[in-house]
Amino acid sequence: MYQMNPPEPPQMPGRQEKSRLSVPQVMLIVVVLAFLAWYLVTTLTPETAPYATISAGTIGSRYSGDCLIVRDESPYVAEGVTNVDRKSEEGSTVYRGTLICNVYSSGFSTRELTTLQEYRDQIKEYQLKLLSEQITTDATADKLESDVLSRAREVREIIGGARGNMTNQERLLSAAIEARQSYLKDKYSNDQRMSRLYDDEQSQLQRINSWTKQYTAVSEGVVSFYSDGYEFGLTVNNYDTFTPGEVRAMMNGQKPGDETLQKGKTTIFRTVRDGRWYVLMLIRDSGFNPVEGSVYELRLENFKDTTVQARVESFTRAGGELEIRLSVEDSVLPVLYIRTCTGVLGDNVSSLTVPEKAIYTQDNMLGVVVVNGEYQIFIPVNVLDRRDGMAFISPIQQGQLYEGQTVRLF
C-alpha cells in the first residue's frame, strides 16, 4: 500500500556563521608578511661597504687651564700728552724708520690745526682762481690733475668692494696730490699773494712742530696703539721668574711691577716682535707630568679659538696648581689684544684609525685584515682607544700598516 508522507514545512533562511581563520593559517600569514618585510629591507636598503680605508689620526690626553699671554713688546710713553696723530695703521707691520705717530705736548691747542687748515684752504681757493684765469693750456697741470682724479676714483672703487690694497692706493693718491701741489707752487712762485700764503702756512707748521714730537720705529714689528699696562712688568726676559701664585694674581687683574714709575705718563703705542710669544698656563691637575722640551698642542679659547704648537720651557708646582711656561713660534696677530684666556693643552700621539668593525680577533689577538688584491693578511694591532665608532690603532710590528691601506669589515 502506497503511503504518502506529509510535506515538511519550508525552513526559514537564517544567519550563516562566519568562517574563522585557523591557527596554522594565521601563522602562515605572519610568516609571509615577515618574509615580505625582510625582502623589501634587504632589497631597497643599500648594502654596507665590506671594506674601509686606514686613515691617520691623533690621540692623547687633554688638560684645561687658565693662560696668561706674554709678548715680546716694547711700550713707548710720554708726559703731558694732549693729542696723538697716528701715522701708521693699527696692527700693521712697521720697519726701522717708519713714522708711527706725532705726539703733541701740553700747551698745544687744536686751534693751531684749525688755523693751519684755514691757510691751506686760502691757498687752494687762490690756486683755483689763478687756474681759471689762465688762457693757454697747461698740459703738465692737466696731467697732474688727471692723475689725482684717477687715484681718487680707484680709492672709491676699493671702498665700494673692488679688489685692491687700500693702504697702497692711499699712498699713491697722496703722492699724486703732493706732485700737483709742488708743481703749482713752482708755477706761481712769482705771485706775491701766493708767496705770502705759503709763508703763513710754513710759519704755522713751525709753530705746531714746536709742540710736536715724531715717533719712528726702531726695529721691525707690529704696532698697536692699545695697552693694558702689563707690558712694563711682564716681559720675555722675566716671564719665567713668576710663581704660580704671582701668575694667578696677574690673571685676577694685579699688574706686575711698580706702577708708580708710570704715574703721570701716557702709553702712546707699543711695538710687538712677531713670530714668537709665550704662555704661562695654570692647570689644577696633579697627575699631569709635562716634559721639558716636548711640544704639545695648545688651543686658546676666546672669541676666536687659536690652535698652535707650544714647547715646554719649564714648569713649577705650588699651591695645588701646576704652572707650565710655554713658548710658541707662530704669528702674534691672533693674541695681539689678548692677555688672559682659558686654554686646553694636549699631548697628541700619532696613530691610525679604522672603523671598529675592522677589528678582528684571531688566536686571541686583535688585528685588522688588510686586503691587497686577491690576498687578505691579518695584521696584529694595539687598540689605543675607541671613540665615535672608530678605533685608534698602532701595529705591533712597526711599518706593517700605513695610511691609505684597505681593510675588511666584519
Side-chain angles (χ1 to χ4, degrees):
M1 176 182 230
Y2 179 71
Q3 183 178 357
M4 296 181 61
N5 293 323
E8 296 181 1
Q11 295 183 355
M12 297 294 294
R15 289 184 180 180
Q16 296 183 355
E17 294 186 2
K18 291 184 179 180
S19 58
R20 297 175 179 267
L21 295 177
S22 63
V23 174
Q25 289 176 321
V26 173
M27 294 180 62
L28 179 60
I29 293 174
V30 171
V31 171
V32 171
L33 292 176
F35 175 79
L36 181 60
W38 171 84
Y39 177 79
L40 292 175
V41 170
T42 56
T43 302
L44 300 179
T45 303
E47 185 179 357
T48 304
Y51 305 103
T53 302
I54 298 177
S55 58
T58 56
I59 185 174
S61 301
R62 297 287 186 271
Y63 304 94
S64 300
D66 298 320
C67 298
L68 182 69
I69 308 299
V70 184
R71 295 174 289 264
D72 188 357
E73 52 196 347
S74 301
Y76 292 82
V77 299
E79 292 181 323
V81 177
T82 59
N83 192 27
V84 178
D85 182 17
R86 301 178 182 180
K87 297 300 182 181
S88 294
E89 187 177 352
E90 170 69 27
S92 63
T93 300
V94 294
Y95 304 91
R96 182 178 178 84
T98 302
L99 178 60
I100 295 178
C101 64
N102 292 325
V103 177
Y104 301 97
S105 60
S106 57
F108 172 78
S109 172
T110 55
R111 290 194 301 271
E112 305 295 342
L113 293 176
T114 303
T115 303
L116 176 63
Q117 188 59 47
E118 290 175 352
Y119 287 139
R120 288 176 172 174
D121 290 340
Q122 293 177 29
I123 292 173
K124 178 182 177 181
E125 292 175 1
Y126 191 56
Q127 284 177 343
L128 292 174
K129 181 177 180 297
L130 293 176
L131 288 172
S132 65
E133 293 176 350
Q134 70 179 16
I135 300 175
T136 60
T137 302
D138 189 336
T140 303
D142 290 343
K143 181 181 182 304
L144 292 173
E145 181 69 19
S146 177
D147 290 342
V148 172
L149 294 177
S150 297
R151 297 303 183 188
R153 183 171 58 254
E154 291 168 355
V155 170
R156 288 196 300 269
E157 289 174 353
I158 294 177
I159 294 175
R163 298 184 61 181
N165 189 310
M166 177 61 78
T167 302
N168 291 339
Q169 203 60 50
E170 288 179 342
R171 189 180 298 114
L172 292 173
L173 176 59
S174 298
I177 294 175
E178 290 176 3
R180 181 186 62 179
Q181 288 300 107
S182 178
Y183 175 77
L184 293 177
K185 185 176 182 179
D186 292 338
K187 180 176 181 177
Y188 299 113
S189 59
N190 295 327
D191 187 281
Q192 293 184 356
R193 182 182 174 187
M194 182 64 74
S195 297
R196 187 175 65 254
L197 289 173
Y198 277 125
D199 290 342
D200 292 340
E201 179 194 30
Q202 189 61 33
S203 297
Q204 187 64 20
L205 281 173
Q206 293 177 354
R207 181 179 175 86
I208 292 174
N209 289 337
S210 65
W211 287 301
T212 306
K213 181 178 181 180
Q214 288 187 338
Y215 283 83
T216 59
V218 297
S219 61
E220 181 179 348
V222 179
V223 64
S224 175
F225 295 94
Y226 299 95
S227 169
D228 61 5
Y230 284 74
E231 301 90 355
F232 301 95
L234 180 62
T235 68
V236 296
N237 297 320
N238 68 358
Y239 80 98
D240 56 349
T241 63
F242 294 101
T243 65
E246 291 171 330
V247 173
R248 178 59 67 185
M250 285 188 282
M251 290 179 176
N252 292 333
Q254 180 178 327
K255 297 179 182 179
D258 189 355
E259 294 187 24
T260 59
L261 297 176
Q262 307 305 324
K263 191 174 182 179
K265 298 180 180 180
T266 301
T267 303
I268 306 167
F269 66 91
R270 59 190 169 104
T271 56
V272 186
R273 187 181 301 276
D274 198 7
R276 188 178 181 88
W277 41 283
Y278 301 85
V279 179
L280 299 178
M281 188 172 185
L282 294 180
I283 299 176
R284 293 185 179 276
D285 193 317
S286 59
F288 180 34
N289 294 304
V291 179
E292 292 187 5
S294 297
V295 177
Y296 297 84
E297 182 183 82
L298 174 64
R299 186 176 76 252
L300 301 178
E301 300 176 327
N302 47 78
F303 65 95
K304 185 178 181 181
D305 290 354
T306 299
T307 301
V308 293
Q309 299 297 311
R311 182 178 184 272
V312 177
E313 299 294 336
S314 62
F315 62 92
T316 302
R317 296 182 188 274
E321 288 191 307
L322 170 64
E323 176 192 354
I324 308 177
R325 306 175 185 96
L326 303 163
S327 63
V328 178
E329 293 188 5
D330 209 324
S331 173
V332 76
L333 295 179
V335 295
L336 186 61
Y337 308 105
I338 300 174
R339 184 61 70 183
T340 60
C341 63
T342 58
V344 178
L345 193 66
D347 53 342
N348 291 328
V349 178
S350 298
S351 68
L352 300 173
T353 62
V354 295
E356 287 192 77
K357 292 183 179 181
I359 303 300
Y360 182 73
T361 303
Q362 179 175 300
D363 297 332
N364 294 325
M365 295 182 64
L366 295 179
V368 295
V369 176
V370 176
V371 179
N372 186 6
E374 298 180 356
Y375 300 97
Q376 298 186 9
I377 307 171
F378 176 80
I379 305 296
V381 300
N382 291 318
V383 179
L384 306 176
D385 193 10
R386 297 174 187 262
R387 189 188 312 156
D388 300 328
M390 301 297 292
F392 295 79
I393 62 173
S394 65
I396 293 178
Q397 185 175 348
Q398 295 299 319
Q400 288 188 327
L401 293 178
Y402 52 86
E403 185 180 0
Q405 284 181 303
T406 301
V407 293
R408 184 179 172 185
L409 300 181
F410 298 92

